[in-house]
Amino acid sequence: MAPATAKYPIISQKNMKAGAKGTGSAGSKGKGGAKVTKKFIINASQPASDKIFDVAAFEKFLHDKIKVDNRVGNLGDTVQISQQGEGKIEVVAHTQFSGRYLKYLTKKFLKKQQLRDWLRVVSTSQGVYELRFFNVVNDEADDDDDA
């Protein structure tokens, strides 16, 4: 039988640590990399038209809560938040930014406003999140029995 080292070389802990330095995603986190611009839109026009969602308060909440480089209130020029039309908020980030983070913050705002039981956050396409009402089915037969 051939020795196991010919087909599968034995890798020691020292070799694994030395080899892992340049291969992981941690090495690609350099600050001198290419500029990334991501654009996200949060569409809250449906609940805003029903007057249960305050878009200006949500925009202020995003300004206050979004973290850049692990610091709140550190938006600077890297993240811009603006209101687009009736009930739409646009977030433009010139750095690595996750849409899931925006969804998380939107859910946090809904919970704070006690709207989480009626509204949900749905991704309609890439980079676009929409606030929708939960579908409630009313059974008219049950309502007639009570009368």
Side-chain angles (χ1 to χ4, degrees):
M1 243 162 83
T5 57
K7 191 172 183 182
Y8 302 106
I10 297 174
I11 299 174
S12 68
Q13 290 291 349
K14 191 183 285 187
N15 289 344
M16 285 181 65
K17 288 180 184 174
K21 280 186 181 174
T23 59
S25 62
S28 61
K29 282 189 176 181
K31 297 192 184 224
K35 284 247 178 180
V36 177
T37 301
K38 290 189 173 186
K39 180 178 165 184
F40 299 97
I41 295 176
I42 301 172
N43 185 359
S45 56
Q46 190 178 12
S49 65
D50 290 343
K51 306 269 193 267
I52 67 164
F53 189 81
D54 187 8
V55 181
F58 180 55
E59 184 180 1
K60 183 183 181 316
F61 177 83
L62 289 178
H63 272 287
D64 295 342
K65 295 290 182 177
I66 287 181
K67 287 185 177 182
V68 176
D69 295 330
N70 292 328
R71 292 178 142 189
V72 175
N74 190 22
L75 296 182
D77 293 333
T78 56
V79 177
Q80 285 117 17
I81 303 168
S82 60
Q83 198 168 336
Q84 301 287 322
E86 181 65 33
K88 288 188 181 181
I89 291 183
E90 182 182 50
V91 178
V92 178
H94 300 291
T95 182
Q96 286 286 23
F97 198 78
S98 172
R100 296 285 300 183
Y101 182 54
L102 269 183
K103 186 174 181 177
Y104 161 75
L105 287 175
T106 306
K107 287 173 151 184
K108 192 172 181 177
F109 178 78
L110 290 175
K111 185 70 172 177
K112 184 178 175 186
Q113 301 295 320
Q114 298 175 346
L115 295 172
R116 187 83 174 92
D117 294 334
W118 291 281
L119 294 173
R120 64 187 185 136
V121 184
V122 180
S123 176
T124 54
S125 64
Q126 187 172 2
V128 178
Y129 292 94
E130 184 176 339
L131 294 178
R132 291 186 182 169
F133 288 101
F134 281 110
N135 293 332
V136 179
V137 178
N138 290 333
D139 294 333
E140 292 184 17
D142 291 342
D143 293 341
D144 293 339
D145 292 339
D146 294 337

